Amino acid sequence: MYHNTKEHPLQPQRVDHRRLNILLDRIRLEIDNGTLPSAQVSVSVNDEEYAFEAFGQATTDTRYVLQSAGRPVVAGVVWKLISDGLLDISRSVASYIPEFGSNGKDIVTVEQVLTHMGGFPLAPLAFPQMLDRDKRLEAFAKWRLTSAPGTKLEFHLTSAAWVIAELCQRVTGSPISEYLRSTLTEPLHLDSIEIGPPLAAQDNVAPFVRVGAADDNSEVYPWGPWYLARPEILAAGEPSHSMVANASDLARWYQALMHSPLWRRDVVEDALRIRVRLPIEGERGGTASVPGNIALFVAVVGDDGLSRAFLPTATGPTTFGHGGAPCQIAFGDPSTGLSFAFLTNGYPPSGYDQSRAGLNRIINIANLAADCLA
């Protein structure tokens, strides 16, 4: 068990198995009607797993590329560094990584990077340069600001995670993939979670499968999510997208974040404090009509009654998590102890399923998960 009941008593919660079966049937429908090639789902409450099932062309041993649904794993690394007194998010990034402090970026704080307010959202780092740490640092030095730090919420699609990875290495001496494994996933027995799985370890990773209307002649967008369909790119280990896991370990990761003594409870509480309430901007970050409640590298539902990007609409205000391409989602609700993960490998040509049916699918599935408690 992760939690210390003496310090953090949890209210007893009970899963309604009839509601749980409705959730599973809803996911099964996506497979049976041919919309998705496979899926995995996991539901846990207060350290007890109530469901872990695979559908279609998958087993419970299958791992999925998490895309942006892996951001809360990276967030957990940051929260651990803060818990251990190794990282001060009020400091500038350049105070830890001097190579970063060029072209006006010397004023960017670690907190701004973690909240996607750093002003360099689409800063590039291509393959194979990303494999070489010196090349990564050279890229940092070349990056320029596209907006003043702290003024615009635009998802730093890959740039923020590369900075976080380097911060981890500066303060621990270990690459983020090794630190995650040795310090967090191994002690927690969440062995399917891995950043940048090597080619020899990708046999159980679900391949990307094109989905959509048979008469859709759209070309596959070669960047964005489809970029990671190439095994060598996945192995290169871009931290917040090139991560794999099964649904069970991802849902249990949220359980650990909510309960494990590996993290200081006051740090987790502060990490889930909403720091940014702005519309999400950017080509693939959303539209001005999609509000964002951003904490430290995770989204939070909040209490303003507005529909949020990447989270269910019918759950507690402290619920946190993230969605990911094509229509994956995972979240945890500290007020009930519920955590949930839904993973799939069915990608439309664009990589993101933002069709009416796609949005209905993920909104309905997420809310059915939130409704599993009696």
Side-chain angles (χ1 to χ4, degrees):
M1 300 289 282
Y2 296 135
H3 60 270
N4 184 326
T5 55
K6 185 175 294 185
E7 294 183 5
H8 303 284
L10 296 169
Q11 297 300 315
Q13 299 289 338
R14 183 169 59 86
V15 169
D16 186 321
H17 288 277
R18 295 169 300 176
R19 297 183 184 189
L20 178 60
N21 286 333
I22 291 173
L23 166 67
L24 298 177
D25 285 343
R26 177 66 182 84
I27 296 170
R28 188 177 292 109
L29 177 64
E30 299 298 316
I31 309 301
D32 291 347
N33 67 13
T35 304
L36 296 174
S38 77
Q40 268 185 1
V41 62
S42 178
V43 176
S44 288
V45 181
N46 293 339
D47 301 331
E48 182 175 351
E49 187 170 68
Y50 285 85
F52 175 34
E53 295 201 19
F55 305 88
Q57 301 167 12
T59 70
T60 53
D61 292 326
T62 301
R63 298 193 293 176
Y64 289 83
V65 180
L66 297 185
Q67 304 283 358
S68 293
R71 291 183 191 274
V73 177
V74 177
V77 169
V78 174
W79 303 353
K80 177 62 173 171
L81 298 176
I82 299 171
S83 293
D84 291 348
L86 298 176
L87 186 66
D88 180 350
I89 65 172
S90 68
R91 286 175 52 178
S92 69
V93 174
S95 69
Y96 291 102
I97 310 171
E99 296 90 338
F100 180 85
S102 58
N103 301 322
K105 302 193 303 300
D106 55 304
I107 64 172
V108 178
T109 67
V110 175
E111 182 173 358
Q112 288 170 338
V113 172
L114 296 173
T115 55
H116 304 284
M117 298 282 286
F120 55 102
L122 301 180
L125 185 53
F127 179 85
Q129 290 87 344
M130 64 176 67
L131 291 167
D132 186 318
R133 187 184 184 195
D134 289 337
K135 296 291 185 183
R136 295 197 296 269
L137 295 176
E138 288 177 13
F140 287 1
K142 294 177 182 177
W143 289 353
R144 296 181 178 275
L145 297 173
T146 57
S147 61
T151 63
K152 181 185 291 188
L153 171 58
E154 185 173 356
F155 281 113
H156 291 38
L157 293 177
T158 63
S159 54
W162 281 121
V163 172
I164 293 169
E166 183 61 27
L167 286 168
C168 179
Q169 190 154 352
R170 292 289 168 119
V171 301
T172 69
S174 298
I176 190 170
S177 58
E178 294 179 9
Y179 178 83
L180 171 65
R181 183 184 66 253
S182 63
T183 306
L184 296 170
T185 58
E186 281 188 354
L188 294 169
H189 306 292
L190 304 178
D191 298 329
S192 77
I193 300 175
E194 185 176 19
I195 295 175
L199 296 177
Q202 293 187 25
D203 290 347
N204 66 348
V205 177
F208 288 32
V209 176
R210 177 170 173 164
V211 299
D215 59 353
D216 184 356
N217 296 318
S218 303
E219 293 186 3
V220 167
Y221 184 62
W223 307 108
W226 279 100
Y227 189 51
L228 294 172
R230 294 168 54 186
E232 67 273 22
I233 301 289
L234 181 61
E238 185 275 300
S240 69
H241 295 89
S242 298
M243 187 182 305
V244 297
N246 63 40
S248 175
D249 282 359
L250 184 56
R252 292 192 296 135
W253 173 262
Y254 280 87
Q255 291 294 317
L257 290 177
M258 292 189 289
H259 305 142
S260 170
L262 285 173
W263 289 270
R264 282 171 40 196
R265 292 297 99 201
D266 62 313
V267 168
V268 173
E269 182 177 354
D270 186 63
L272 293 177
R273 176 172 56 85
I274 297 171
R275 288 165 159 80
V276 178
R277 296 179 186 265
L278 289 173
I280 301 170
E281 302 182 30
E283 178 188 359
R284 293 180 297 277
T287 67
S289 64
V290 178
N293 279 345
I294 307 300
L296 291 187
F297 220 56
V298 295
V300 179
V301 167
D303 56 5
D304 52 16
L306 297 176
S307 175
R308 293 290 158 197
F310 313 126
L311 289 172
T313 60
T315 187
T318 59
T319 298
F320 68 101
H322 218 286
C327 57
Q328 303 183 120
I329 190 167
F331 62 83
D333 183 356
S335 67
T336 63
L338 170 72
S339 65
F340 172 72
F342 166 76
L343 305 177
T344 184
N345 63 326
Y347 289 76
S350 68
Y352 302 87
D353 195 343
Q354 296 180 338
S355 65
R356 179 195 61 80
L359 292 175
N360 277 335
R361 177 193 313 129
I362 196 58
I363 291 170
N364 291 339
I365 287 173
N367 283 329
L368 286 172
D371 194 42
C372 278
L373 297 179

